[in-house]
Amino acid sequence: MSIQRENPARHSEIVGRVVPVTRNIPDRVDDAVRAAHAAFRGWSGTPVDGRLAALRDVAEAIDDEREALAVLLAREIGKPLADCRGEVGFAVQHLRWVIEYAPAAYADRELDDARGRLLSIRKPYGVVVAVTPWNAPVILAMLKLAAALAAGNTVIVKPSPLGPLTVDRVVRLFQAHLPEAAVQVLHGHAGLVTALVTHRLVRKVAFTGGEDAGRAIAAAAADRLIPTVMELGGNDPAVFLSDAPFDDASLERLVMASFATAGQVCMAAKRLYVPRDRSGEFVEAYVAAAARVLVVGDPLADGVTMGPVISAATQSRAFDLALAADHTAAGVIDLGREGDGYDEQAGYFSPPLLVVDPVPDAALIREEQFAPVVPLVLYDTEEQVLAMANDDDLGLGASVWSADEERAFAFARRFEAGFAFVNTHNRTGMSLRAPFGGVKRSGWGREYAEEGLAEYVQTCVVHAPAAFRAGGVGLSPTAYPV
């Protein structure tokens, strides 16, 4: 039986199919991992310049197919076409960034001085398993593929069944320019992931996705004592300090920070905090900003900035959150406007909503929504809002908004979050040079920047202490290091 992807904007339309691994899973996984392990010997032994030359060819190939990949991505996950073009383009940009910085990041380091000779070698792990989500599948696969392959690892990608088609095509573009079995893609469900993670020749796992799946993968990897990179969920607060301007540009950024990909983004602005005495001013400006920039409809239609949610289950969850908010909040406000192709019967459309002043223990505040429903929470003091912002088991991102940058940075230092944005949120606040990842239950490890490159190598050392080199004076057999 194949995995078929329906178009979330028109769920009667089948976009494509992939063949999953459902029978003889252990044998199929064993074949794939052994092939990747065999390819690792040659790929890791290729000089870094040779590896990077192959990856340059991959970047060109993806760039050449950018439009076709963007259209396929829009149809399979419901993200607006302009965003999909941006995602594919950013994936290429990231690959080229890795190609530029990999030689320095993966170079050996050697010291030879009065204390001895010390050689630090950056060695790849071997076979890396990359488990990727559906909501930004191209860039989230690329974050793992680019660094892991540049370092000399081989990679097996397991995409989400909700977003397999574009990732499958991107992996095949890699395969066209790399040695056989250096990159593979396997489709399937939880049983396939377990078989991959528990295979004795898999040396590292990189995962982006939800907490339940992450917990299972982490447990399986821990049982084998192999390292993982985990980028899990977020319940990101966006805190407006008392001096924050509510200008058009800022609030337009905030609106899209919450509702890009219909709110189904781990680092979306999911909890908005505003001073109580400025709440009326904020709501007026926020609703006006949403009317300008938030157009809900068919992802392929011109001018649409928000498409449907991914599934009927997510549509139902958004409805339930809104229904509960009707009884526990001061008000629920419809945002934005309908564009071409908006049809809640034909597709999984869910209207974007702002829920004003819900009760403190509302699910909308306490849980990651992953849907286009956002709470506005009112506060009285900075200490109070900091406590509310940090009162969550998740700690992926957070943002602070202020007219005073120093004040904003001082506040941001106190967030319990892996990435704090200032006067923006979500992708407009990211940078290739800024490492990204979570704290608390939002995961561990980092992607992007030098830290992201370092996740895919191990530092191994060769050391000759000065005492035992030619002319050295020696040390007692019981001596400690000097």
Side-chain angles (χ1 to χ4, degrees):
M1 180 181 293
S2 64
I3 294 174
Q4 66 179 26
R5 275 307 301 144
E6 60 189 11
N7 184 336
R10 294 179 296 279
H11 45 66
S12 62
E13 174 189 314
I14 302 303
V15 179
R17 297 174 174 83
V18 294
V19 178
V21 178
T22 55
R23 296 181 180 179
N24 302 317
I25 291 177
D27 292 340
R28 291 283 303 280
V29 165
D30 188 59
D31 289 345
V33 174
R34 288 185 181 279
H37 181 67
F40 170 69
R41 298 189 186 98
W43 181 244
S44 61
T46 301
V48 66
D49 288 347
R51 297 198 299 267
L52 298 182
L55 293 176
R56 284 190 192 93
D57 291 339
V58 174
E60 291 299 321
I62 296 173
D63 213 12
D64 288 345
E65 291 203 21
R66 184 186 302 197
E67 185 65 16
L69 290 168
V71 171
L72 178 60
L73 185 60
R75 293 179 65 220
E76 75 165 321
I77 70 170
K79 185 153 67 175
L81 181 57
D83 283 358
C84 293
R85 290 183 180 122
E87 179 177 337
V88 177
F90 184 56
V92 173
Q93 181 184 2
H94 176 72
L95 177 54
R96 288 174 172 155
W97 184 93
V98 169
I99 291 167
E100 179 181 355
Y101 286 91
Y106 298 143
D108 295 344
R109 283 119 166 122
E110 187 165 1
L111 292 173
D112 193 341
D113 57 23
R115 288 182 288 179
R117 185 177 177 185
L118 175 64
L119 174 63
S120 296
I121 309 167
R122 272 59 177 172
K123 291 187 176 182
Y125 284 89
V127 180
V128 173
V129 168
V131 184
T132 61
W134 64 265
N135 58 337
V138 177
I139 183 57
L140 292 173
M142 185 63 77
L143 287 173
K144 299 157 183 59
L145 284 164
L149 291 166
N153 302 281
T154 54
V155 183
I156 299 174
V157 181
K158 208 301 288 184
S160 167
L162 293 174
L165 303 178
T166 315
V167 174
D168 188 273
R169 179 58 188 152
V170 167
V171 170
R172 297 194 189 285
L173 292 173
F174 272 91
Q175 290 173 331
H177 298 278
L178 270 63
E180 184 177 359
V183 185
Q184 301 173 65
V185 59
L186 296 178
H187 299 284
H189 301 278
L192 174 62
V193 176
T194 300
L196 284 166
V197 175
T198 57
H199 194 285
R200 71 178 189 86
L201 294 178
V202 168
R203 301 298 186 220
K204 187 157 189 174
V205 180
F207 172 74
T208 302
E211 184 176 313
D212 290 343
R215 183 180 290 109
I217 290 170
D223 189 59
R224 291 195 51 238
L225 297 177
I226 61 170
T228 59
V229 177
M230 290 277 165
E231 200 263 86
L232 305 175
N235 193 12
D236 292 17
V239 176
F240 281 74
L241 298 182
S242 60
D243 66 340
F246 298 158
D247 59 283
D248 292 352
S250 293
L251 291 191
E252 288 171 8
R253 285 198 304 279
L254 178 66
V255 167
M256 294 313 301
S258 291
F259 294 105
T261 317
Q264 302 161 115
V265 178
C266 58
M267 59 183 179
K270 297 189 176 79
R271 297 178 284 152
L272 313 183
Y273 291 90
V274 173
R276 189 179 306 276
D277 60 3
R278 298 189 67 194
S279 60
E281 176 191 358
F282 177 87
V283 169
E284 181 179 359
Y286 187 87
V287 172
R292 291 190 299 272
V293 301
L294 203 54
V295 181
V296 189
D298 187 330
L300 296 176
D302 289 341
V304 165
T305 59
M306 182 183 129
V309 295
I310 190 65
S311 66
T314 304
Q315 186 184 44
S316 177
R317 173 170 169 74
F319 176 80
D320 289 344
L321 287 169
L323 185 65
D326 271 337
H327 304 293
T328 61
V332 178
I333 301 173
D334 288 295
L335 300 171
R337 47 201 165 90
E338 295 178 7
D340 292 344
Y342 183 93
D343 186 338
E344 291 184 35
Q345 301 304 313
Y348 301 126
F349 290 98
S350 182
L353 302 173
L354 178 68
V355 178
V356 180
D357 198 20
V359 296
D361 61 348
L364 190 60
I365 298 173
R366 305 303 305 175
E367 301 173 10
E368 180 182 20
Q369 311 100 1
F370 225 68
V373 185
V374 176
L376 173 63
V377 182
L378 311 183
Y379 73 89
D380 297 303
T381 69
E382 278 195 23
E383 290 302 318
Q384 178 194 29
V385 72
L386 181 67
M388 290 192 292
N390 288 336
D391 183 22
D392 196 276
D393 289 338
L394 301 178
L396 188 58
S399 64
V400 57
W401 305 66
S402 172
D404 182 340
E405 186 173 283
E406 292 304 317
R407 182 184 180 191
F409 267 72
F411 189 91
R413 290 174 68 94
R414 302 170 70 193
F415 276 134
E416 295 173 4
F419 199 110
F421 305 93
V422 173
N423 291 329
T424 193
H425 202 119
N426 207 331
R427 66 177 184 236
T428 57
M430 301 193 69
S431 168
L432 289 170
R433 70 177 187 173
F436 182 83
V439 299
K440 298 193 285 191
R441 276 178 26 205
S442 287
W444 52 84
R446 293 296 180 261
E447 295 184 310
Y448 298 102
E450 294 178 4
E451 289 85 346
L453 295 177
E455 291 287 355
Y456 294 95
V457 288
Q458 308 167 86
T459 299
C460 300
V461 166
V462 181
H463 185 219
F468 308 116
R469 300 180 75 187
V473 298
L475 284 175
S476 162
T478 59
Y480 280 88
V482 294

